[in-house]
Amino acid sequence: MVSAPHEAMHRIFQEYPGLFSQLSDVLGLQLPPLVSAELLTVDLTENEPLERRVDTLLRIRTENDGPFLLVVEAQGKKDPGKTASWPYYVTYLNNRYRLPVLLLVICQDHATAAWAARPLTIGLPQWPTVTTRPLVAGPHNMPVITNVAEARKDLVLATLSAITHADNPDVDAILKTMSVALRDAPESLVEPLVEFIAQGLGNRPAAQQWRNLVAVDLSFYTSPLSEEIRDEGRAEGRAEGREKGHAEGQAEALLLILEARGIGITDATRERISACGDPDLLRRWLVRAAFVAASDEIFDEETSADR
């Protein structure tokens, strides 16, 4: 099953195709200025009963060198099957569109990135017929952005950087930087980037920190994640309210029983009963209230236990 981090690592290119222009500079790939980027179908299935799909496929147009195809693959772990499928993607797309093809692989850990960067050859050892060289972006070469001004220069690139560094020991600082940098950004940009980061973190511990940052630093806007956080808060509040109301009802019933039996209630006893928020304890006191001769005797068992 496709994971949330996998989706975030390549879908950000679907939402912001121009991201590759900035990323190519980060990765040291010299390209002429990009003019446009067009999202293409990811289905590479032929008439044969074998389905092949890339994660994201873009047609990129540049000012001087003409268009090329960009294949974006999100890779969460080593996969021996890619040794065959990646060269297939490149050769198939080149044959279908008659355009140069660049394979970009996005990773979140160093081992997978090193594995993905290896040239893939088809042919004899002494004479490779086809060589596929993926361009890899991951924690080994993506910048660690913990400066708000730097993040604001390019929020989309900073978002991809945060995703690739999801396992970085400084991820807390990275996420805090992103939450602050997004405060003054247009809501149309903030919402998808917040969701991409949430997806990219998956079920890592940092995911909860990001939820907290969204709830506090970015509470001014509405998105699926922020609404989910707020719904959880409202649900917790309702549950706490019900429990508190139940405890208050038990405390009131306990005092009424004592009064109905004509047993005097001291201020200390009344205060202790009213302040108790433990329904189980109040239930035990409620049972004793039917038998005790003095109001403070309902606490006898707890007093003995304290001693």
Side-chain angles (χ1 to χ4, degrees):
M1 188 173 73
V2 176
S3 66
H6 177 279
E7 288 293 287
M9 283 191 285
H10 76 84
R11 283 192 56 249
I12 190 171
F13 288 88
Q14 297 178 12
E15 192 74 22
Y16 304 100
L19 168 61
F20 183 67
S21 179
Q22 295 89 325
L23 183 61
S24 61
D25 293 336
V26 172
L27 300 180
L29 182 65
Q30 299 301 316
L31 292 175
L34 305 189
V35 175
S36 66
E38 176 187 357
L39 190 64
L40 303 178
T41 177
V42 300
D43 192 350
L44 308 185
T45 307
E46 299 185 46
N47 291 331
E48 302 174 9
L50 178 63
E51 184 175 324
R52 298 181 187 270
R53 291 178 182 271
V54 297
D55 288 335
T56 290
L57 178 61
L58 300 169
R59 178 189 283 120
I60 305 289
R61 290 184 171 84
T62 64
E63 288 184 0
N64 304 319
D65 291 354
F68 66 92
L69 299 179
L70 175 65
V71 179
V72 184
E73 286 279 285
Q75 198 64 34
K77 60 182 180 180
K78 298 177 183 179
D79 181 358
K82 298 299 184 181
T83 303
S85 59
W86 282 347
Y88 171 85
Y89 296 163
V90 172
T91 54
Y92 173 86
L93 290 169
N94 177 257
N95 183 66
R96 176 177 176 180
Y97 290 95
R98 301 299 180 182
L99 291 174
V101 181
L102 180 62
L103 172 62
L104 172 65
V105 182
I106 312 296
C107 303
Q108 290 179 296
D109 68 272
H110 291 272
T112 302
W115 166 84
R118 296 177 303 168
L120 304 174
T121 60
I122 299 175
L124 300 177
Q126 60 271 36
W127 194 272
T129 304
V130 176
T131 299
T132 303
R133 295 179 59 219
L135 181 66
V136 179
H140 65 295
N141 57 4
M142 290 294 288
V144 176
I145 301 177
T146 55
N147 180 278
V148 174
E150 184 181 355
R152 283 176 174 159
K153 289 178 182 178
D154 193 327
L155 289 170
V156 179
L157 182 64
T159 295
L160 180 63
S161 177
I163 292 171
T164 58
H165 288 291
D167 292 318
N168 190 296
D170 295 326
V171 67
D172 290 357
I174 295 171
L175 296 180
K176 180 60 179 177
T177 298
M178 287 303 302
S179 70
V180 174
L182 287 168
R183 285 180 189 171
D184 300 325
E187 187 171 331
S188 60
L189 183 61
V190 173
E191 179 177 335
L193 296 187
V194 165
E195 300 299 327
F196 278 131
I197 293 175
Q199 281 188 322
L201 294 173
N203 58 3
R204 295 172 172 84
Q208 184 57 50
Q209 189 211 352
W210 182 240
R211 294 170 68 87
N212 295 338
L213 289 170
V214 170
V216 176
D217 291 350
L218 300 170
S219 59
F220 58 87
Y221 85 102
T222 301
S223 78
L225 178 63
S226 63
E227 283 303 294
E228 181 183 333
I229 293 171
R230 291 175 187 130
D231 287 343
E232 288 176 358
R234 285 191 285 266
E236 290 175 1
R238 286 193 294 269
E240 291 175 359
R242 286 193 296 269
E243 185 172 340
K244 181 180 179 182
H246 183 54
E248 290 175 350
Q250 287 181 306
E252 184 177 352
L254 198 162
L255 294 171
L256 285 174
I257 290 175
L258 292 174
E259 291 173 355
R261 294 186 58 220
I263 296 176
I265 306 173
T266 64
D267 291 341
T269 297
R270 186 181 297 276
E271 182 179 351
R272 183 172 177 182
I273 293 173
S274 300
C276 182
D278 184 345
D280 293 333
L281 182 57
L282 284 166
R283 190 178 299 110
R284 292 199 297 271
W285 291 351
L286 197 58
V287 172
R288 291 181 206 146
F291 305 101
V292 296
S295 63
D296 58 354
E297 291 179 6
I298 64 171
F299 310 130
D300 283 353
E301 183 178 323
E302 281 69 33
T303 302
S304 299
D306 291 341
R307 292 172 184 167

